[in-house]
Structure formats: structure tokens, C-alpha cells
Short mmCIF file of all heavy atoms in Angstrom, two decimals:
data_model
loop_
_atom_site.label_atom_id
_atom_site.label_comp_id
_atom_site.label_asym_id
_atom_site.label_seq_id
_atom_site.Cartn_x
_atom_site.Cartn_y
_atom_site.Cartn_z
N VAL A 935 1.89 -16.26 14.26
CA VAL A 935 2.33 -16.42 12.97
C VAL A 935 3.53 -15.65 12.68
O VAL A 935 4.32 -16.12 11.69
CB VAL A 935 1.09 -15.88 11.98
CG1 VAL A 935 -0.14 -16.80 12.09
CG2 VAL A 935 0.73 -14.45 12.14
N GLN A 936 3.85 -14.60 13.18
CA GLN A 936 5.23 -13.84 13.12
C GLN A 936 6.34 -14.84 13.54
O GLN A 936 7.37 -15.03 12.95
CB GLN A 936 5.26 -12.61 13.76
CG GLN A 936 4.46 -11.49 13.38
CD GLN A 936 4.97 -10.97 11.94
OE1 GLN A 936 6.16 -11.22 11.65
NE2 GLN A 936 4.16 -10.13 11.23
N PHE A 937 6.07 -15.57 14.68
CA PHE A 937 6.96 -16.47 15.26
C PHE A 937 7.20 -17.71 14.28
O PHE A 937 8.30 -18.10 13.92
CB PHE A 937 6.48 -17.01 16.54
CG PHE A 937 7.20 -17.96 17.34
CD1 PHE A 937 8.05 -17.61 18.37
CD2 PHE A 937 7.21 -19.33 17.12
CE1 PHE A 937 8.84 -18.45 19.08
CE2 PHE A 937 7.92 -20.23 17.88
CZ PHE A 937 8.77 -19.73 18.85
N ASN A 938 6.08 -18.20 13.74
CA ASN A 938 6.23 -19.38 12.85
C ASN A 938 6.82 -18.89 11.48
O ASN A 938 7.66 -19.81 11.05
CB ASN A 938 4.75 -19.87 12.51
CG ASN A 938 4.13 -20.56 13.74
OD1 ASN A 938 4.71 -20.68 14.83
ND2 ASN A 938 2.90 -21.05 13.72
N MET A 939 6.61 -17.80 11.01
CA MET A 939 7.20 -17.39 9.81
C MET A 939 8.79 -17.26 10.02
O MET A 939 9.61 -17.73 9.17
CB MET A 939 6.70 -16.08 9.28
CG MET A 939 5.28 -16.26 8.66
SD MET A 939 4.79 -14.63 7.78
CE MET A 939 4.34 -13.64 9.27
N GLU A 940 9.17 -16.74 11.13
CA GLU A 940 10.57 -16.63 11.44
C GLU A 940 11.31 -17.92 11.46
O GLU A 940 12.42 -18.17 10.87
CB GLU A 940 10.76 -15.82 12.69
CG GLU A 940 12.23 -15.85 13.28
CD GLU A 940 13.19 -15.12 12.44
OE1 GLU A 940 12.82 -14.33 11.56
OE2 GLU A 940 14.39 -15.38 12.65
N ILE A 941 10.64 -18.86 12.12
CA ILE A 941 11.29 -20.20 12.17
C ILE A 941 11.32 -21.01 10.94
O ILE A 941 12.31 -21.72 10.69
CB ILE A 941 10.55 -21.05 13.33
CG1 ILE A 941 10.85 -20.47 14.71
CG2 ILE A 941 10.92 -22.53 13.21
CD1 ILE A 941 10.15 -21.16 15.85
N CYS A 942 10.32 -20.88 10.16
CA CYS A 942 10.17 -21.62 8.95
C CYS A 942 10.76 -20.92 7.73
O CYS A 942 10.61 -21.41 6.60
CB CYS A 942 8.70 -22.02 8.71
SG CYS A 942 8.06 -23.12 9.93
N GLY A 943 11.13 -19.69 7.83
CA GLY A 943 11.77 -18.95 6.72
C GLY A 943 10.81 -18.49 5.73
O GLY A 943 11.18 -18.38 4.54
N CYS A 944 9.56 -18.23 6.10
CA CYS A 944 8.49 -17.71 5.22
C CYS A 944 8.36 -16.24 5.36
O CYS A 944 8.61 -15.55 6.37
CB CYS A 944 7.18 -18.40 5.49
SG CYS A 944 7.25 -20.18 5.34
N THR A 945 7.89 -15.61 4.28
CA THR A 945 7.67 -14.13 4.18
C THR A 945 6.29 -13.61 4.35
O THR A 945 5.98 -12.56 4.48
CB THR A 945 8.34 -13.52 3.02
OG1 THR A 945 7.62 -14.06 1.87
CG2 THR A 945 9.89 -13.79 2.87
N GLU A 946 5.34 -14.66 4.25
CA GLU A 946 4.00 -14.35 4.54
C GLU A 946 3.19 -15.57 5.07
O GLU A 946 3.58 -16.61 5.02
CB GLU A 946 3.29 -13.88 3.13
CG GLU A 946 3.26 -14.97 2.10
CD GLU A 946 2.71 -14.44 0.81
OE1 GLU A 946 2.66 -13.16 0.59
OE2 GLU A 946 2.33 -15.22 -0.13
N SER A 947 2.05 -15.21 5.65
CA SER A 947 1.19 -16.25 6.27
C SER A 947 -0.24 -15.89 6.02
O SER A 947 -0.62 -14.72 5.74
CB SER A 947 1.52 -16.24 7.79
OG SER A 947 1.18 -15.05 8.47
N TYR A 948 -1.03 -17.01 6.24
CA TYR A 948 -2.55 -16.81 6.02
C TYR A 948 -3.27 -17.20 7.29
O TYR A 948 -3.38 -18.46 7.49
CB TYR A 948 -2.95 -17.58 4.85
CG TYR A 948 -2.34 -16.94 3.60
CD1 TYR A 948 -1.27 -17.64 3.00
CD2 TYR A 948 -2.67 -15.67 3.01
CE1 TYR A 948 -0.63 -17.07 1.90
CE2 TYR A 948 -2.06 -15.20 1.96
CZ TYR A 948 -1.03 -15.83 1.35
OH TYR A 948 -0.34 -15.39 0.32
N LEU A 949 -3.65 -16.34 8.11
CA LEU A 949 -4.34 -16.58 9.35
C LEU A 949 -5.88 -16.78 8.98
O LEU A 949 -6.39 -15.70 8.55
CB LEU A 949 -4.07 -15.44 10.34
CG LEU A 949 -4.97 -15.51 11.75
CD1 LEU A 949 -4.50 -16.88 12.42
CD2 LEU A 949 -4.54 -14.31 12.57
N THR A 950 -6.40 -17.84 9.02
CA THR A 950 -7.69 -18.25 8.60
C THR A 950 -8.70 -18.60 9.58
O THR A 950 -8.34 -19.55 10.40
CB THR A 950 -7.49 -19.43 7.55
OG1 THR A 950 -6.64 -18.99 6.48
CG2 THR A 950 -8.84 -19.82 6.95
N PHE A 951 -9.78 -17.81 9.64
CA PHE A 951 -10.78 -18.11 10.62
C PHE A 951 -11.87 -18.84 9.93
O PHE A 951 -12.42 -18.41 8.92
CB PHE A 951 -11.31 -16.80 11.21
CG PHE A 951 -10.34 -16.26 12.25
CD1 PHE A 951 -9.33 -15.46 11.82
CD2 PHE A 951 -10.52 -16.50 13.56
CE1 PHE A 951 -8.41 -14.79 12.67
CE2 PHE A 951 -9.53 -15.90 14.54
CZ PHE A 951 -8.50 -15.15 14.03
N TYR A 952 -12.33 -20.01 10.51
CA TYR A 952 -13.42 -20.73 9.96
C TYR A 952 -14.54 -21.01 10.87
O TYR A 952 -14.26 -21.39 12.00
CB TYR A 952 -12.85 -22.13 9.37
CG TYR A 952 -13.90 -23.16 8.91
CD1 TYR A 952 -14.51 -23.02 7.75
CD2 TYR A 952 -14.37 -24.12 9.91
CE1 TYR A 952 -15.52 -23.96 7.34
CE2 TYR A 952 -15.43 -24.91 9.56
CZ TYR A 952 -15.86 -24.91 8.27
OH TYR A 952 -16.86 -25.78 7.95
N MET A 953 -15.69 -20.91 10.33
CA MET A 953 -16.88 -21.32 11.01
C MET A 953 -17.82 -21.90 9.94
O MET A 953 -17.58 -21.59 8.80
CB MET A 953 -17.71 -20.27 11.73
CG MET A 953 -16.89 -19.65 12.94
SD MET A 953 -17.79 -18.31 13.94
CE MET A 953 -18.88 -19.46 14.92
N PRO A 954 -18.68 -22.87 10.32
CA PRO A 954 -19.47 -23.47 9.19
C PRO A 954 -20.17 -22.51 8.27
O PRO A 954 -20.47 -22.93 7.06
CB PRO A 954 -20.52 -24.35 9.98
CG PRO A 954 -19.81 -24.67 11.23
CD PRO A 954 -18.95 -23.44 11.62
N GLU A 955 -20.46 -21.31 8.73
CA GLU A 955 -21.22 -20.29 7.91
C GLU A 955 -20.27 -19.23 7.30
O GLU A 955 -20.75 -18.36 6.65
CB GLU A 955 -22.35 -19.65 8.73
CG GLU A 955 -21.84 -18.80 9.90
CD GLU A 955 -21.50 -19.52 11.25
OE1 GLU A 955 -21.46 -20.76 11.13
OE2 GLU A 955 -21.29 -18.74 12.12
N GLN A 956 -18.92 -19.18 7.62
CA GLN A 956 -18.19 -18.26 7.23
C GLN A 956 -16.66 -18.62 7.19
O GLN A 956 -16.22 -19.44 8.02
CB GLN A 956 -18.36 -16.96 7.98
CG GLN A 956 -17.58 -15.70 7.47
CD GLN A 956 -17.73 -14.50 8.39
OE1 GLN A 956 -18.33 -14.53 9.54
NE2 GLN A 956 -17.18 -13.34 8.00
N ILE A 957 -15.83 -18.06 6.22
CA ILE A 957 -14.45 -18.18 6.29
C ILE A 957 -13.81 -16.70 6.01
O ILE A 957 -14.33 -15.97 5.11
CB ILE A 957 -13.93 -19.18 5.24
CG1 ILE A 957 -12.37 -19.23 5.38
CG2 ILE A 957 -14.31 -18.76 3.85
CD1 ILE A 957 -11.86 -20.35 4.52
N ARG A 958 -12.85 -16.43 6.79
CA ARG A 958 -12.17 -15.07 6.61
C ARG A 958 -10.71 -15.37 6.63
O ARG A 958 -10.15 -16.03 7.55
CB ARG A 958 -12.54 -14.07 7.59
CG ARG A 958 -11.83 -12.76 7.54
CD ARG A 958 -12.48 -11.74 8.51
NE ARG A 958 -13.78 -11.34 8.06
CZ ARG A 958 -14.70 -10.75 8.83
NH1 ARG A 958 -14.29 -10.40 10.13
NH2 ARG A 958 -15.80 -10.28 8.42
N VAL A 959 -9.86 -14.84 5.65
CA VAL A 959 -8.40 -15.05 5.54
C VAL A 959 -7.70 -13.66 5.71
O VAL A 959 -7.99 -12.74 4.95
CB VAL A 959 -8.05 -15.72 4.24
CG1 VAL A 959 -6.55 -15.94 4.24
CG2 VAL A 959 -8.81 -17.07 4.06
N PHE A 960 -6.80 -13.65 6.75
CA PHE A 960 -5.98 -12.52 6.85
C PHE A 960 -4.65 -12.81 6.34
O PHE A 960 -4.03 -13.84 6.65
CB PHE A 960 -5.87 -12.17 8.31
CG PHE A 960 -7.04 -11.74 9.06
CD1 PHE A 960 -7.95 -12.64 9.61
CD2 PHE A 960 -7.29 -10.27 9.20
CE1 PHE A 960 -9.06 -12.23 10.20
CE2 PHE A 960 -8.44 -9.90 9.84
CZ PHE A 960 -9.40 -10.82 10.37
N ARG A 961 -4.12 -11.92 5.52
CA ARG A 961 -2.81 -12.05 5.08
C ARG A 961 -1.85 -11.22 5.95
O ARG A 961 -2.11 -9.95 6.12
CB ARG A 961 -2.51 -11.50 3.59
CG ARG A 961 -0.95 -11.67 3.15
CD ARG A 961 -0.82 -11.04 1.75
NE ARG A 961 0.49 -11.03 1.46
CZ ARG A 961 1.31 -10.05 1.66
NH1 ARG A 961 1.01 -8.96 2.27
NH2 ARG A 961 2.69 -10.09 1.41
N ILE A 962 -0.67 -11.85 6.43
CA ILE A 962 0.17 -11.17 7.42
C ILE A 962 1.55 -11.43 6.89
O ILE A 962 1.96 -12.54 6.66
CB ILE A 962 -0.01 -11.70 8.87
CG1 ILE A 962 -1.43 -11.42 9.41
CG2 ILE A 962 1.06 -11.02 9.80
CD1 ILE A 962 -1.64 -12.06 10.81
N ALA A 963 2.22 -10.33 6.63
CA ALA A 963 3.66 -10.42 6.13
C ALA A 963 4.65 -10.52 7.23
O ALA A 963 4.41 -9.93 8.33
CB ALA A 963 3.98 -9.23 5.19
N HIS A 964 5.77 -11.18 7.09
CA HIS A 964 6.81 -11.18 8.05
C HIS A 964 7.17 -9.73 8.25
O HIS A 964 7.57 -9.07 7.36
CB HIS A 964 8.09 -11.97 7.51
CG HIS A 964 9.19 -12.21 8.45
ND1 HIS A 964 10.19 -11.21 8.47
CD2 HIS A 964 9.48 -13.12 9.35
CE1 HIS A 964 11.05 -11.66 9.32
NE2 HIS A 964 10.73 -12.75 9.87
#
């Protein structure tokens, strides 16, 4: 996500883990 933010010019990202019984979202800043 650091790599992708750098290439796309974004300052934050949402790394999201999904399973049918749960979702968890991590916010990661550049």
C-alpha cells in the first residue's frame, strides 16, 4: 500500500480484510 500510494499520488490507504463473518479496515498514511 505504501508502494501503491506513492505511484498513484495518494496520501492514505485502506487495507481491508474481509471474511464472511468479519471485516476490519486499517488506515495507513503515506
Side-chain angles (χ1 to χ4, degrees):
V935 296
Q936 290 291 345
F937 183 95
N938 290 359
M939 282 189 285
E940 168 64 18
I941 288 178
C942 297
C944 296
T945 60
E946 63 184 14
S947 61
Y948 299 101
L949 176 60
T950 301
F951 289 84
Y952 168 85
M953 296 183 78
E955 69 277 7
Q956 184 179 6
I957 182 173
R958 177 174 290 164
V959 181
F960 295 86
R961 176 184 177 269
I962 300 173
H964 182 271

